Amino acid sequence: METKLRQLFALQQIDSSLDELEELKGDLPGRIRELEVQEASLKDQLSALETTMRTAFTQRDNADGEIVALREKAEKYKTQQFQVRNNREYDALTREMDAAQDTIVRLEKEMEMLEGKATLARSDIETVKVSLGELEGALGEKRSALAEVSKTTEEEEGKLRHEREKIVHRVAKGDLAQYERIRRAKKGKAVVPVRRGACGGCFARVPPQKLLELRQNSKIYLCEHCGRIIVSDEIAVGKTSPV
Ligand SMILES: [Zn+2]
């Protein structure tokens, strides 16, 4: 049991050191994640705008092609009108020409609308590209700042993680789960020593009877006040030999 308590205490020491290293990185990792989310969203916007622009230009070109074809047709009807033999045929051609003209007017309006849509998308694309460029610049700066900090902490972090692995391997799953749960709930401090008869985490007094029991190092004691695991001085001082 004493071994178990030593292991948990050692685990806490390592995790606290890792937390300190993490603090050196400040808000950089969080800021980078935020910027990456923004970057992805801008890229989505950009590709949607590009699709809108391409589609509108294609539709405009199609309408343009239709207008050319209709004009040719109208010209043909005009020529045919000189060759008709009666009014009925003449009127039929006039109706065809009017219909073609109506369609041309409709298509010209459509072209104008599509042209406007495509142009708007194109200017939005430019705006989004500028934002994206700025964002990528900021992201690059934050990433190199983080890389700079990581370079100095990397070696220590590696050692600590290795040590952590070794201890975690020996701690019972249930104890580890309890430790992690308390750590999450208590801002990283799950195991604390007793100091002058008080919990090292919340400073609440530990009852004398409990202090006596605690010194036997025979089970996991939780602070009645904050719920952290409290260990005796003996465990805390002998922190270097968790095995
Ligand atoms: Zn406490």
Side-chain angles (χ1 to χ4, degrees):
M1 176 48 69
E2 199 175 317
T3 303
K4 181 199 273 194
L5 293 172
R6 285 189 197 285
Q7 285 170 341
L8 286 175
F9 187 75
L11 190 59
Q12 176 67 69
Q13 300 288 102
I14 290 172
D15 280 339
S16 295
S17 301
L18 282 169
D19 288 347
E20 278 167 29
L21 289 181
E22 211 47 45
E23 258 171 53
L24 284 178
K25 297 174 186 172
D27 65 346
L28 282 171
R31 190 72 191 112
I32 287 171
R33 274 194 298 277
E34 272 172 35
L35 289 173
E36 281 168 348
V37 170
Q38 286 176 32
E39 184 190 32
S41 144
L42 282 180
K43 280 183 174 168
D44 284 349
Q45 271 185 50
L46 196 60
S47 97
L49 283 168
E50 275 164 353
T51 305
T52 303
M53 182 184 76
R54 268 198 307 274
T55 310
F57 275 136
T58 306
Q59 286 172 338
R60 181 206 59 183
D61 292 347
N62 290 345
D64 199 26
E66 271 184 67
I67 289 173
V68 171
L70 283 167
R71 287 211 173 107
E72 278 169 14
K73 242 186 204 169
E75 279 304 313
K76 213 171 69 194
Y77 295 144
K78 215 176 188 173
T79 322
Q80 284 171 358
Q81 274 186 331
F82 294 111
Q83 299 152 2
V84 295
R85 283 156 299 182
N86 53 49
N87 281 345
R88 198 173 49 80
E89 279 179 22
Y90 188 91
D91 291 345
L93 283 169
T94 305
R95 275 196 301 278
E96 290 290 346
M97 282 166 70
D98 287 349
Q101 192 49 44
D102 287 349
T103 311
I104 286 171
V105 169
R106 179 177 60 77
L107 286 171
E108 277 172 348
K109 269 189 198 147
E110 221 172 279
M111 272 183 74
E112 210 175 301
M113 186 273 290
L114 289 164
E115 176 84 34
K117 194 174 170 183
T119 309
L120 189 68
R122 189 161 53 196
S123 96
D124 286 349
I125 285 170
E126 288 316 307
T127 311
V128 173
K129 272 185 179 164
V130 170
S131 306
L132 192 59
E134 284 169 1
L135 197 129
E136 274 165 352
L139 196 51
E141 275 172 30
K142 296 265 183 274
R143 278 185 183 139
S144 36
L146 181 61
E148 201 56 42
V149 179
S150 298
K151 212 164 62 188
T152 60
T153 61
E154 214 166 22
E155 197 183 331
E156 204 180 340
E157 203 175 316
K159 265 189 228 157
L160 288 166
R161 293 213 179 278
H162 182 66
E163 278 302 304
R164 192 182 197 281
E165 274 307 300
K166 284 203 293 197
I167 295 174
V168 160
H169 201 67
R170 295 184 198 123
V171 176
K173 273 206 172 75
D175 293 339
L176 190 64
Q178 184 182 29
Y179 167 84
E180 298 285 9
R181 198 170 52 241
I182 301 172
R183 214 172 103 76
R184 272 196 301 277
K186 297 293 166 189
K187 295 199 172 78
K189 288 264 184 254
V191 185
V192 291
V194 167
R195 290 226 170 89
R196 290 195 201 92
C199 162
C202 70
F203 311 109
R205 222 171 66 82
V206 179
Q209 180 56 37
K210 202 161 184 182
L211 274 178
L212 284 176
E213 289 173 19
L214 200 75
R215 286 202 188 104
Q216 293 173 11
N217 303 319
S218 58
K219 61 177 274 217
I220 291 182
Y221 281 95
L222 299 182
C223 166
E224 286 168 5
H225 192 70
C226 69
R228 290 183 178 95
I229 297 166
I230 37 177
V231 295
S232 68
D233 270 350
E234 203 189 341
I235 299 289
V237 170
K239 65 184 178 185
T240 43
S241 54
V243 210

